[in-house]
Amino acid sequence: MNQLTSSATDKITGIINVPGDKSISHRALIMGSMAIGETIVSGLLEGEDVLNTAAAMKALGADIYRDELAKWHVHGVGTGGLSEPAGALDMGNSGTGARLLMGLVSTYPFSTTFVGDASLSSRPMKRVTVPLEKFGAEFHGSEDGTLPITVKGTDAPLPISYDVPVASAQVKSAIMLAALNTPGITTIFEKTPTRDHTERMFHFFGVDTITTPKDGGRVITVSGQPELTARELIVPGDPSSAAFPVVAALITPGSDITINNIGLNPDRTGLFITLKEMGADIEFLNEREECGEPVADLRVRHSSLNAITVPEDRAPSMIDEYPILCIAAAFAEGTTVMRGAEELRVKESDRIDIMVRGLGACGIKVEEFADGMAITGSGEKPEGGALVETRLDHRIAMSFLILGLQSHKPVTVDDGSVIETSFPTFRSLMNGLGANIQPAAGAPA
Ligand code: S3P
């Protein structure tokens, strides 16, 4: 185990770039692999999750390499051009990689086996296999619908019309990717809007996709078997990664940081909106658009925070940010209530259970609900001093390391290596800003 400890920090200052957006990076590699010609991707997240997707797309027939300037070159196979992989696709820790690729291959006439680590192998897959069966694919695996699963793709896919029962961009995107190699028009209704990176990426690569608002949700149609145009694209910085230095600066007196080039897709900005409502000093500078996604630089200064009740319908736009919001809430005056977030129970870990335990161990007052938490802060520093369990969950590890920066006693996480999945430069970037995050005493550096 690779334990990391974070200790009291004076202030967080400086200018940084965080790695590329994880959701967009997966999709850039997948769509580049489906286009004929050379797609060049700059700013790709080189975290384990995305590297696993790159390896999977190579195993399915795409030619992908990284040049010395860290640009990724993807030579795609064209719609219908994937070939059967020689071995199982190991998606590691990544629900996005696994679910999106299960969708993609389900409309090809060959079999693909998906495996993952212990965390991924406990996550629900029926949410994708149920709609994908409607295209004609078959799924073989355990009764409870978890990995390993073998997808027997169909050679005669039929377009479907599907109402997505959970608020999940992964499920929506799996269906959209299955629709690529399906003749006719596939129609998806999501009653709660979720991140629309696949829709934007489809437009960017020339897929005929239409999104129409309906009853507070969205209807998305995809015309199958398009000819995709290879593109050059720049992946913006990941707002879900920026969230960690943002909260570090907010809770640490004297802090003033700028994070360049952060994606501000409106389906992803729930945390920043919530923090501003709590009194956070966050400015969006130099707002612009890159490759179909809104982008800005963020300036963040230390702020006194006040508790709020987070609107439940905001959950999909900040679903990955609840762990770090919990840390901000521990420093806010009053009780911050977060509900309507039951999806947190099926992320890389059960994030409600694990946050409640870790916060409690650090002396923070927290109440657990089936669909969320309430956290009471006094405006005082929490005690800290705990060894926190992370259960293969990168965002849990990073959240508690941020807590340690402003606790009375250092906070240790039991496994810092999981951070590699989404934010390999986390420790060096945070320490460069003035944080003190080190291998735990006795742990290897
Ligand atoms: C993602 C969608 C979300 C999110 C995940 C990335 C994506 O999951 O939690 O980190 O890239 O589509 P769900 O689709 O399960 O909500």
Side-chain angles (χ1 to χ4, degrees), residues 21-24 26-27 95-97 99-100 123 127 166-173 194-195 197-198 240 268 316 319-320 343 346-348 351 394-395:
D21 188 278
K22 183 151 73 70
S23 293
I24 297 175
H26 284 293
R27 289 159 171 83
T96 307
R99 295 188 177 121
L100 266 55
R123 299 181 65 186
R127 53 181 58 200
V166 275
S168 169
Q170 293 176 358
V171 175
K172 168 179 66 179
S173 302
T194 62
R195 64 189 71 191
H197 300 303
T198 307
S240 300
R268 296 283 299 280
I319 195 65
D320 292 335
E343 275 293 301
V346 291
K347 292 296 173 187
E348 285 81 333
R351 287 183 172 160
H394 52 130
R395 298 199 201 282

Side-chain angles (χ1 to χ4, degrees), residues 170-189:
Q170 293 176 358
V171 175
K172 168 179 66 179
S173 302
I175 300 168
M176 292 177 72
L177 289 166
L180 279 185
N181 199 32
T182 303
I185 295 179
T186 293
T187 306
I188 304 160
F189 173 61

Side-chain angles (χ1 to χ4, degrees), residues 156-356:
L158 295 170
I160 68 167
S161 183
Y162 192 70
D163 289 7
V164 183
V166 275
S168 169
Q170 293 176 358
V171 175
K172 168 179 66 179
S173 302
I175 300 168
M176 292 177 72
L177 289 166
L180 279 185
N181 199 32
T182 303
I185 295 179
T186 293
T187 306
I188 304 160
F189 173 61
E190 55 174 6
K191 62 174 183 295
T192 317
T194 62
R195 64 189 71 191
D196 64 354
H197 300 303
T198 307
E199 293 90 314
R200 287 174 190 252
M201 194 73 82
F202 271 28
H203 277 296
F204 197 63
F205 277 86
V207 185
D208 183 5
T209 318
I210 300 168
T211 301
T212 321
K214 187 186 165 195
D215 302 338
R218 295 176 185 153
V219 176
I220 301 124
T221 57
V222 178
S223 301
Q225 301 186 319
E227 210 167 286
L228 304 180
T229 323
R231 299 295 307 256
E232 278 208 31
L233 51 99
I234 305 168
V235 180
D238 196 328
S240 300
S241 296
F244 299 101
V246 164
V247 171
L250 290 175
I251 65 173
T252 306
S255 296
D256 183 352
I257 62 167
T258 300
I259 314 175
N260 291 322
N261 194 37
I262 297 304
L264 287 183
N265 181 309
D267 294 329
R268 296 283 299 280
T269 48
L271 175 77
F272 300 138
I273 294 169
T274 301
L275 289 171
K276 280 172 89 78
E277 287 173 1
M278 293 169 79
D281 181 352
I282 303 176
E283 280 179 85
F284 302 110
L285 308 172
N286 193 14
E287 291 189 42
R288 57 207 184 267
E289 184 157 314
E290 264 167 24
C291 306
E293 294 277 353
V295 169
D297 304 326
L298 304 190
R299 181 162 183 201
V300 187
R301 281 171 273 202
H302 169 254
S303 311
S304 346
L305 301 176
N306 292 306
I308 63 161
T309 294
V310 182
E312 294 190 16
D313 62 2
R314 198 176 283 167
S317 69
M318 54 183 288
I319 195 65
D320 292 335
E321 280 66 75
Y322 283 93
I324 191 62
L325 177 61
C326 289
I327 305 305
F331 289 84
E333 289 263 2
T335 302
T336 297
V337 181
M338 310 165 211
R339 302 205 63 164
E342 57 280 344
E343 275 293 301
L344 293 177
R345 299 244 179 230
V346 291
K347 292 296 173 187
E348 285 81 333
S349 67
D350 175 342
R351 287 183 172 160
I352 296 176
D353 178 61
I354 201 163
M355 286 307 298
V356 166

